[in-house]
Amino acid sequence: MTTAVIGTGGIGSVIARELASGGETLRLSSADNESARLLAGEIGRAAVAAADNRDALRGADAVVLALRFTVLKGVIDEIAGLLADKLVVVPSNPLGIDAQGHVSHLLPEGQSSGEVVAGWLPAGARLAMAFGTLSGDLFESASNRSPEPAVLFYATDGDRAGEEVERLIRTAGFEPVRVGGIEQSGRLEVGGDLHDLVVGSPEARSLIGRA
Ligand SMILES: NC(=O)c1ccc[n+]([C@@H]2O[C@H](COP(=O)([O-])OP(=O)(O)OC[C@H]3O[C@@H](n4cnc5c(N)ncnc54)[C@H](OP(=O)(O)O)[C@@H]3O)[C@@H](O)[C@H]2O)c1
């Protein structure tokens, strides 16, 4: 199947490499498309660099928006007309980084990026918050772990989106575990109790119940 990955920086490039190594076909785009072209060249036949963000969605079953929180809404608005009946996967944490490298939390305490993004999507798009719980390095090292696969937590409101994102998570070399609906997605984000954890499925399921 085909997935669009918009944003090919720190986390988007890792997600794209792991999805491609699991057999997914990819359409990539980035701000000026140079990093998307370089990544497509590195991945090889499984990936193409699209002409732009809208072109990345051509023929795609799902889209991963691997973007900083501050540019997410603009890109969603740009592609909104193409998102009906698509799975939209968002790994973004609600963080801003200033010119000096200082990191700040962009949302009031208690509000998650998932809840905000859900309000930005057009009707018919199916949102899953996923692929943002691990740093790029951890994501790469934990993918295809053996004998017990590592878990990637996700949150979504819909069963269909759940099935679709579980397929992508397995393709990337992880065991999917649902934390709950989008209202639970704060648990996956920076500062949440399930962020940056590399665990197997039994431990993951007991952690979910403990909140
Ligand atoms: N990095 C991690 O380890 C990690 C882990 C988990 C979650 N996250 C979350 O994932 C999100 C992305 O983080 P990151 O570290 O990957 O950021 P990043 O390295 O800055 O990459 C951002 C990507 O977005 C692209 N981009 C910017 N504006 C765009 C636009 N208008 N249209 C299309 N693409 C655009 C950039 O394009 P160019 O390449 O052309 O500049 C770049 O490829 C953040 O919200 C972060 O919290 C990151």
Side-chain angles (χ1 to χ4, degrees):
M1 295 184 81
T2 299
T3 292
V5 179
I6 299 183
T8 49
I11 197 67
S13 60
V14 173
I15 295 168
R17 279 191 207 99
E18 298 302 339
L19 285 174
S21 77
E24 192 77 358
T25 297
L26 302 174
R27 294 182 65 77
L28 310 176
S29 67
S30 62
D32 66 10
N33 260 8
E34 180 60 17
S35 70
R37 271 195 296 275
L38 285 173
L39 183 63
E42 178 204 315
I43 290 173
R45 280 184 8 175
V48 294
D52 54 32
N53 293 336
R54 291 176 63 83
D55 183 49
L57 279 153
R58 202 155 43 89
D61 305 287
V63 57
V64 179
L65 300 178
L67 299 164
R68 294 193 185 194
F69 193 76
T70 44
V71 302
L72 254 182
K73 183 166 190 314
V75 172
I76 288 172
D77 288 347
E78 184 189 342
I79 60 175
L82 305 170
L83 292 181
D85 209 31
K86 290 252 188 312
L87 174 71
V88 179
V89 181
V90 177
S92 302
N93 289 292
L95 301 179
I97 303 175
D98 68 17
Q100 284 72 44
H102 299 128
V103 177
S104 59
H105 206 89
L106 297 173
L107 294 175
E109 202 177 324
Q111 190 174 32
S112 68
S113 142
E115 290 162 309
V116 174
V117 174
W120 290 341
L121 289 176
R126 297 184 291 281
L127 174 64
M129 296 302 290
F131 289 98
T133 45
L134 300 179
S135 69
D137 289 349
L138 267 186
F139 193 107
E140 257 181 329
S141 62
S143 162
N144 294 302
R145 195 176 77 164
S146 167
E148 187 193 33
V151 158
L152 268 196
F153 293 103
Y154 71 92
T156 188
D157 286 339
D159 290 343
R160 184 165 166 206
E163 285 164 25
E164 293 169 320
V165 77
E166 288 205 358
R167 184 192 71 78
L168 284 177
I169 289 171
R170 289 203 171 90
T171 300
F174 290 87
E175 179 66 20
V177 172
R178 185 177 184 168
V179 62
I182 293 295
E183 84 286 352
Q184 294 292 318
S185 60
R187 296 185 68 186
L188 312 181
E189 297 172 5
V190 166
D193 65 313
L194 303 176
H195 188 78
D196 242 1
L197 285 185
V198 179
V199 292
S201 182
E203 191 181 347
R205 288 175 198 287
S206 91
L207 285 168
I208 284 179
R210 242 181 256 163

CSV table of all heavy atoms in Angstrom, one decimal, residues 6-15 29-36 53 65-72 74-75 78 91-95 131-137 139 190 195-196, ligand 1:
chain,number,residue,atom,x,y,z
A,6,ILE,N,4.7,13.6,4.8
A,6,ILE,CA,5.0,15.0,4.6
A,6,ILE,C,5.9,15.4,5.7
A,6,ILE,O,5.4,15.4,6.9
A,6,ILE,CB,3.7,15.8,4.5
A,6,ILE,CG1,2.9,15.3,3.3
A,6,ILE,CG2,4.0,17.3,4.3
A,6,ILE,CD1,1.6,16.0,3.0
A,7,GLY,N,7.1,15.9,5.4
A,7,GLY,CA,8.1,16.2,6.5
A,7,GLY,C,9.1,15.1,6.5
A,7,GLY,O,8.8,13.9,6.9
A,8,THR,N,10.3,15.4,6.1
A,8,THR,CA,11.3,14.3,6.0
A,8,THR,C,12.6,14.7,6.8
A,8,THR,O,13.7,14.5,6.4
A,8,THR,CB,11.7,14.0,4.5
A,8,THR,OG1,11.9,15.3,3.9
A,8,THR,CG2,10.6,13.3,3.8
A,9,GLY,N,12.3,15.3,8.0
A,9,GLY,CA,13.4,15.7,8.9
A,9,GLY,C,13.7,14.6,9.9
A,9,GLY,O,13.7,13.4,9.5
A,10,GLY,N,14.0,15.0,11.1
A,10,GLY,CA,14.4,14.1,12.2
A,10,GLY,C,13.5,12.8,12.3
A,10,GLY,O,14.0,11.7,12.2
A,11,ILE,N,12.2,13.0,12.5
A,11,ILE,CA,11.4,11.8,12.7
A,11,ILE,C,10.8,11.3,11.4
A,11,ILE,O,10.7,10.1,11.2
A,11,ILE,CB,10.3,12.1,13.8
A,11,ILE,CG1,9.8,10.7,14.3
A,11,ILE,CG2,9.2,13.0,13.3
A,11,ILE,CD1,10.7,9.9,15.1
A,12,GLY,N,10.4,12.2,10.5
A,12,GLY,CA,9.9,11.7,9.2
A,12,GLY,C,10.8,10.8,8.4
A,12,GLY,O,10.3,9.8,7.8
A,13,SER,N,12.1,11.1,8.5
A,13,SER,CA,13.0,10.3,7.7
A,13,SER,C,13.1,8.9,8.3
A,13,SER,O,13.2,7.9,7.6
A,13,SER,CB,14.4,11.0,7.6
A,13,SER,OG,14.9,11.1,8.9
A,14,VAL,N,13.1,8.8,9.6
A,14,VAL,CA,13.2,7.5,10.3
A,14,VAL,C,11.9,6.7,10.0
A,14,VAL,O,11.9,5.5,9.7
A,14,VAL,CB,13.4,7.7,11.8
A,14,VAL,CG1,13.3,6.3,12.5
A,14,VAL,CG2,14.7,8.3,12.1
A,15,ILE,N,10.7,7.4,10.2
A,15,ILE,CA,9.5,6.7,9.9
A,15,ILE,C,9.5,6.2,8.5
A,15,ILE,O,9.1,5.0,8.2
A,15,ILE,CB,8.3,7.6,10.1
A,15,ILE,CG1,8.2,8.0,11.6
A,15,ILE,CG2,7.0,7.0,9.6
A,15,ILE,CD1,7.2,9.2,11.9
A,29,SER,N,7.3,14.4,0.7
A,29,SER,CA,7.5,15.8,0.4
A,29,SER,C,8.0,16.5,1.7
A,29,SER,O,7.9,16.1,2.8
A,29,SER,CB,6.2,16.5,-0.1
A,29,SER,OG,5.2,16.5,1.0
A,30,SER,N,8.6,17.7,1.4
A,30,SER,CA,9.2,18.5,2.5
A,30,SER,C,9.0,20.0,2.1
A,30,SER,O,8.5,20.3,1.1
A,30,SER,CB,10.6,18.1,2.9
A,30,SER,OG,11.4,18.4,1.8
A,31,ALA,N,9.6,20.9,3.0
A,31,ALA,CA,9.3,22.3,2.7
A,31,ALA,C,9.8,22.7,1.3
A,31,ALA,O,9.1,23.3,0.5
A,31,ALA,CB,9.9,23.1,3.8
A,32,ASP,N,11.1,22.5,1.1
A,32,ASP,CA,11.6,22.9,-0.2
A,32,ASP,C,11.9,21.6,-1.1
A,32,ASP,O,12.5,21.8,-2.2
A,32,ASP,CB,12.9,23.7,-0.1
A,32,ASP,CG,14.1,22.9,0.5
A,32,ASP,OD1,14.0,21.7,0.6
A,32,ASP,OD2,15.1,23.5,0.9
A,33,ASN,N,11.6,20.5,-0.6
A,33,ASN,CA,11.6,19.2,-1.3
A,33,ASN,C,13.0,18.6,-1.5
A,33,ASN,O,13.2,17.5,-2.0
A,33,ASN,CB,10.9,19.2,-2.6
A,33,ASN,CG,9.5,18.5,-2.5
A,33,ASN,OD1,9.1,18.2,-1.3
A,33,ASN,ND2,8.8,18.3,-3.5
A,34,GLU,N,14.1,19.4,-1.1
A,34,GLU,CA,15.4,18.9,-1.2
A,34,GLU,C,15.6,17.6,-0.3
A,34,GLU,O,16.1,16.6,-0.7
A,34,GLU,CB,16.4,20.0,-0.9
A,34,GLU,CG,17.9,19.6,-1.0
A,34,GLU,CD,18.3,19.1,-2.4
A,34,GLU,OE1,17.6,19.4,-3.3
A,34,GLU,OE2,19.4,18.5,-2.5
A,35,SER,N,15.2,17.8,1.0
A,35,SER,CA,15.4,16.6,1.9
A,35,SER,C,14.5,15.4,1.4
A,35,SER,O,14.9,14.3,1.6
A,35,SER,CB,15.1,17.0,3.3
A,35,SER,OG,13.7,17.3,3.6
A,36,ALA,N,13.3,15.7,0.9
A,36,ALA,CA,12.5,14.6,0.4
A,36,ALA,C,13.2,13.9,-0.8
A,36,ALA,O,13.2,12.7,-0.9
A,36,ALA,CB,11.1,15.1,0.0
A,53,ASN,N,3.3,19.0,-1.5
A,53,ASN,CA,2.5,18.3,-0.5
A,53,ASN,C,1.2,17.7,-1.0
A,53,ASN,O,0.9,16.6,-0.7
A,53,ASN,CB,2.2,19.3,0.7
A,53,ASN,CG,3.4,19.7,1.5
A,53,ASN,OD1,4.4,19.0,1.5
A,53,ASN,ND2,3.3,20.9,2.1
A,65,LEU,N,2.0,13.1,8.9
A,65,LEU,CA,2.4,14.5,8.9
A,65,LEU,C,3.5,14.7,9.9
A,65,LEU,O,3.2,15.0,11.1
A,65,LEU,CB,1.2,15.4,9.3
A,65,LEU,CG,0.0,15.3,8.3
A,65,LEU,CD1,-1.2,16.2,8.8
A,65,LEU,CD2,0.4,15.7,6.9
A,66,ALA,N,4.7,14.5,9.5
A,66,ALA,CA,5.9,14.5,10.4
A,66,ALA,C,6.4,15.9,10.4
A,66,ALA,O,7.5,16.2,10.0
A,66,ALA,CB,6.9,13.5,9.9
A,67,LEU,N,5.6,16.8,11.0
A,67,LEU,CA,5.9,18.2,11.0
A,67,LEU,C,5.9,18.8,12.3
A,67,LEU,O,5.3,18.3,13.3
A,67,LEU,CB,4.7,18.9,10.2
A,67,LEU,CG,4.6,18.5,8.8
A,67,LEU,CD1,3.2,18.9,8.3
A,67,LEU,CD2,5.7,19.0,7.9
A,68,ARG,N,6.7,19.9,12.5
A,68,ARG,CA,6.7,20.6,13.8
A,68,ARG,C,5.2,21.2,14.0
A,68,ARG,O,4.6,21.6,13.0
A,68,ARG,CB,7.7,21.8,13.8
A,68,ARG,CG,9.1,21.2,13.7
A,68,ARG,CD,10.1,22.2,14.0
A,68,ARG,NE,11.4,21.6,13.9
A,68,ARG,CZ,12.6,22.1,14.3
A,68,ARG,NH1,12.6,23.3,14.9
A,68,ARG,NH2,13.7,21.5,14.1
A,69,PHE,N,4.8,21.3,15.2
A,69,PHE,CA,3.5,21.7,15.6
A,69,PHE,C,3.1,23.0,14.9
A,69,PHE,O,2.0,23.3,14.5
A,69,PHE,CB,3.3,21.7,17.1
A,69,PHE,CG,1.9,21.8,17.5
A,69,PHE,CD1,1.1,20.7,17.5
A,69,PHE,CD2,1.4,23.0,18.0
A,69,PHE,CE1,-0.3,20.9,17.9
A,69,PHE,CE2,0.1,23.2,18.4
A,69,PHE,CZ,-0.7,22.1,18.4
A,70,THR,N,4.1,23.9,14.9
A,70,THR,CA,3.9,25.3,14.4
A,70,THR,C,3.5,25.4,12.9
A,70,THR,O,3.0,26.4,12.4
A,70,THR,CB,5.1,26.2,14.7
A,70,THR,OG1,6.3,25.4,14.3
A,70,THR,CG2,5.2,26.6,16.1
A,71,VAL,N,3.9,24.3,12.1
A,71,VAL,CA,3.5,24.4,10.7
A,71,VAL,C,2.4,23.4,10.3
A,71,VAL,O,1.9,23.4,9.2
A,71,VAL,CB,4.8,24.1,9.8
A,71,VAL,CG1,5.9,25.1,10.0
A,71,VAL,CG2,5.2,22.7,9.9
A,72,LEU,N,2.0,22.6,11.3
A,72,LEU,CA,0.9,21.6,11.0
A,72,LEU,C,-0.3,22.2,10.4
A,72,LEU,O,-0.8,21.7,9.4
A,72,LEU,CB,0.6,20.9,12.3
A,72,LEU,CG,1.1,19.5,12.6
A,72,LEU,CD1,0.5,19.0,13.9
A,72,LEU,CD2,0.7,18.6,11.5
A,74,GLY,N,-1.0,25.0,8.9
A,74,GLY,CA,-0.9,25.5,7.5
A,74,GLY,C,-0.8,24.4,6.5
A,74,GLY,O,-1.5,24.5,5.4
A,75,VAL,N,-0.1,23.3,6.8
A,75,VAL,CA,-0.1,22.2,5.8
A,75,VAL,C,-1.4,21.5,5.7
A,75,VAL,O,-1.9,21.1,4.7
A,75,VAL,CB,1.1,21.2,6.2
A,75,VAL,CG1,1.0,19.9,5.3
A,75,VAL,CG2,2.4,21.9,6.1
A,78,GLU,N,-3.6,23.4,3.5
A,78,GLU,CA,-3.1,23.3,2.1
A,78,GLU,C,-3.7,22.0,1.5
A,78,GLU,O,-4.0,21.9,0.3
A,78,GLU,CB,-1.6,23.3,2.2
A,78,GLU,CG,-0.9,23.2,0.8
A,78,GLU,CD,0.6,23.0,1.0
A,78,GLU,OE1,1.2,23.3,2.1
A,78,GLU,OE2,1.2,22.6,0.0
A,91,PRO,N,2.6,12.5,14.4
A,91,PRO,CA,3.5,12.2,15.5
A,91,PRO,C,3.9,13.5,16.3
A,91,PRO,O,4.8,13.4,17.1
A,91,PRO,CB,4.7,11.7,14.8
A,91,PRO,CG,4.7,12.3,13.4
A,91,PRO,CD,3.3,12.6,13.1
A,92,SER,N,3.3,14.7,15.9
A,92,SER,CA,3.8,15.9,16.4
A,92,SER,C,3.6,16.2,17.9
A,92,SER,O,2.5,15.9,18.4
A,92,SER,CB,3.2,17.1,15.7
A,92,SER,OG,3.4,17.0,14.3
A,93,ASN,N,4.6,16.6,18.6
A,93,ASN,CA,4.5,17.1,20.0
A,93,ASN,C,4.3,18.6,20.0
A,93,ASN,O,4.9,19.3,19.1
A,93,ASN,CB,5.7,16.7,20.7
A,93,ASN,CG,5.8,15.2,21.0
A,93,ASN,OD1,5.0,14.7,21.7
A,93,ASN,ND2,6.7,14.5,20.3
A,94,PRO,N,3.5,19.1,20.9
A,94,PRO,CA,3.2,20.6,20.9
A,94,PRO,C,4.4,21.4,21.5
A,94,PRO,O,4.2,22.0,22.5
A,94,PRO,CB,2.0,20.7,21.8
A,94,PRO,CG,2.1,19.5,22.7
A,94,PRO,CD,2.8,18.4,22.0
A,95,LEU,N,5.5,21.4,20.8
A,95,LEU,CA,6.7,22.1,21.3
A,95,LEU,C,7.1,23.1,20.3
A,95,LEU,O,7.0,22.9,19.1
A,95,LEU,CB,7.8,21.1,21.5
A,95,LEU,CG,7.6,19.9,22.5
A,95,LEU,CD1,8.8,19.0,22.5
A,95,LEU,CD2,7.3,20.5,23.9
A,131,PHE,N,3.4,7.3,16.2
A,131,PHE,CA,4.8,7.5,15.7
A,131,PHE,C,5.6,8.6,16.3
A,131,PHE,O,6.7,9.0,15.8
A,131,PHE,CB,4.8,7.6,14.1
A,131,PHE,CG,4.4,6.4,13.4
A,131,PHE,CD1,3.2,6.1,12.9
A,131,PHE,CD2,5.4,5.4,13.1
A,131,PHE,CE1,2.8,5.0,12.3
A,131,PHE,CE2,5.1,4.2,12.5
A,131,PHE,CZ,3.8,4.0,12.0
A,132,GLY,N,5.0,9.3,17.3
A,132,GLY,CA,5.7,10.4,18.0
A,132,GLY,C,6.2,10.1,19.4
A,132,GLY,O,6.6,11.0,20.1
A,133,THR,N,6.0,8.9,19.8
A,133,THR,CA,6.3,8.6,21.2
A,133,THR,C,7.8,8.3,21.5
A,133,THR,O,8.2,8.4,22.6
A,133,THR,CB,5.5,7.3,21.7
A,133,THR,OG1,5.7,6.3,20.7
A,133,THR,CG2,4.1,7.6,22.0
A,134,LEU,N,8.5,8.0,20.5
A,134,LEU,CA,10.0,7.7,20.6
A,134,LEU,C,10.8,8.7,19.9
A,134,LEU,O,10.4,9.1,18.8
A,134,LEU,CB,10.3,6.3,20.1
A,134,LEU,CG,9.6,5.1,20.8
A,134,LEU,CD1,10.0,3.8,20.1
A,134,LEU,CD2,9.8,5.1,22.3
A,135,SER,N,12.0,9.0,20.4
A,135,SER,CA,12.9,9.8,19.6
A,135,SER,C,13.4,9.0,18.4
A,135,SER,O,13.2,7.8,18.4
A,135,SER,CB,14.2,10.1,20.5
A,135,SER,OG,14.9,8.9,20.7
A,136,GLY,N,13.9,9.7,17.4
A,136,GLY,CA,14.3,9.1,16.2
A,136,GLY,C,15.3,7.9,16.4
A,136,GLY,O,15.2,6.8,15.9
A,137,ASP,N,16.2,8.2,17.3
A,137,ASP,CA,17.3,7.2,17.6
A,137,ASP,C,16.7,5.9,18.2
A,137,ASP,O,17.0,4.8,17.9
A,137,ASP,CB,18.3,7.7,18.6
A,137,ASP,CG,19.2,8.7,17.9
A,137,ASP,OD1,19.1,8.9,16.7
A,137,ASP,OD2,19.9,9.4,18.6
A,139,PHE,N,13.5,5.0,18.1
A,139,PHE,CA,12.6,4.4,17.1
A,139,PHE,C,13.4,3.5,16.2
A,139,PHE,O,13.0,2.3,16.0
A,139,PHE,CB,12.0,5.5,16.2
A,139,PHE,CG,10.8,5.1,15.4
A,139,PHE,CD1,9.6,5.5,15.7
A,139,PHE,CD2,11.0,4.4,14.2
A,139,PHE,CE1,8.5,5.1,15.0
A,139,PHE,CE2,9.9,4.0,13.5
A,139,PHE,CZ,8.7,4.4,13.8
A,190,VAL,N,5.3,14.4,24.7
A,190,VAL,CA,6.4,14.8,25.6
A,190,VAL,C,5.7,15.2,26.9
A,190,VAL,O,4.8,16.0,27.0
A,190,VAL,CB,7.1,16.0,25.0
A,190,VAL,CG1,8.0,16.7,26.1
A,190,VAL,CG2,8.0,15.6,23.9
A,195,HIS,N,5.4,8.4,27.1
A,195,HIS,CA,6.4,8.9,26.1
A,195,HIS,C,7.7,8.3,26.3
A,195,HIS,O,8.2,8.2,27.4
A,195,HIS,CB,6.4,10.4,26.2
A,195,HIS,CG,7.2,11.1,25.1
A,195,HIS,ND1,6.7,11.2,23.8
A,195,HIS,CD2,8.5,11.6,25.1
A,195,HIS,CE1,7.6,11.8,23.1
A,195,HIS,NE2,8.7,12.0,23.8
A,196,ASP,N,8.4,8.0,25.2
A,196,ASP,CA,9.8,7.6,25.3
A,196,ASP,C,10.0,6.3,26.0
A,196,ASP,O,11.1,6.1,26.7
A,196,ASP,CB,10.7,8.7,25.9
A,196,ASP,CG,11.8,9.1,24.8
A,196,ASP,OD1,11.7,8.6,23.7
A,196,ASP,OD2,12.6,10.0,25.2
B,1,LIG,N1,12.9,14.2,15.9
B,1,LIG,C1,12.4,13.3,16.8
B,1,LIG,O1,13.2,12.5,17.3
B,1,LIG,C2,11.0,13.3,17.1
B,1,LIG,C3,10.5,12.2,17.8
B,1,LIG,C4,9.1,12.1,18.1
B,1,LIG,C5,8.2,13.2,17.7
B,1,LIG,N2,8.8,14.2,17.0
B,1,LIG,C6,7.8,15.3,16.6
B,1,LIG,O2,7.7,15.2,15.2
B,1,LIG,C7,7.6,16.6,14.7
B,1,LIG,C8,8.7,16.8,13.6
B,1,LIG,O3,9.9,16.8,14.3
B,1,LIG,P1,11.3,16.7,13.5
B,1,LIG,O4,12.4,16.6,14.6
B,1,LIG,O5,11.2,15.6,12.5
B,1,LIG,O6,11.4,18.1,12.9
B,1,LIG,P2,12.4,18.6,11.7
B,1,LIG,O7,13.7,17.7,11.8
B,1,LIG,O8,12.5,20.1,11.9
B,1,LIG,O9,11.7,18.2,10.4
B,1,LIG,C9,10.5,18.9,10.0
B,1,LIG,C10,10.2,18.6,8.5
B,1,LIG,O10,9.1,19.3,8.2
B,1,LIG,C11,9.3,19.8,6.9
B,1,LIG,N3,8.5,21.0,6.6
B,1,LIG,C12,8.5,22.2,7.2
B,1,LIG,N4,7.5,23.0,6.7
B,1,LIG,C13,6.9,22.2,5.7
B,1,LIG,C14,5.8,22.5,4.8
B,1,LIG,N5,5.2,23.7,4.8
B,1,LIG,N6,5.5,21.5,4.0
B,1,LIG,C15,6.1,20.3,4.0
B,1,LIG,N7,7.1,20.0,4.8
B,1,LIG,C16,7.5,21.0,5.7
B,1,LIG,C17,10.8,20.2,6.8
B,1,LIG,O11,11.2,20.3,5.5
B,1,LIG,P3,12.7,20.5,5.0
B,1,LIG,O12,13.4,19.2,5.3
B,1,LIG,O13,12.6,20.9,3.6
B,1,LIG,O14,13.2,21.6,5.9
B,1,LIG,C18,11.4,19.0,7.6
B,1,LIG,O15,11.5,17.9,6.6
B,1,LIG,C19,7.7,17.5,15.9
B,1,LIG,O16,6.4,17.9,16.2
B,1,LIG,C20,8.3,16.7,17.0
B,1,LIG,O17,7.8,17.1,18.2
B,1,LIG,C21,10.1,14.3,16.7
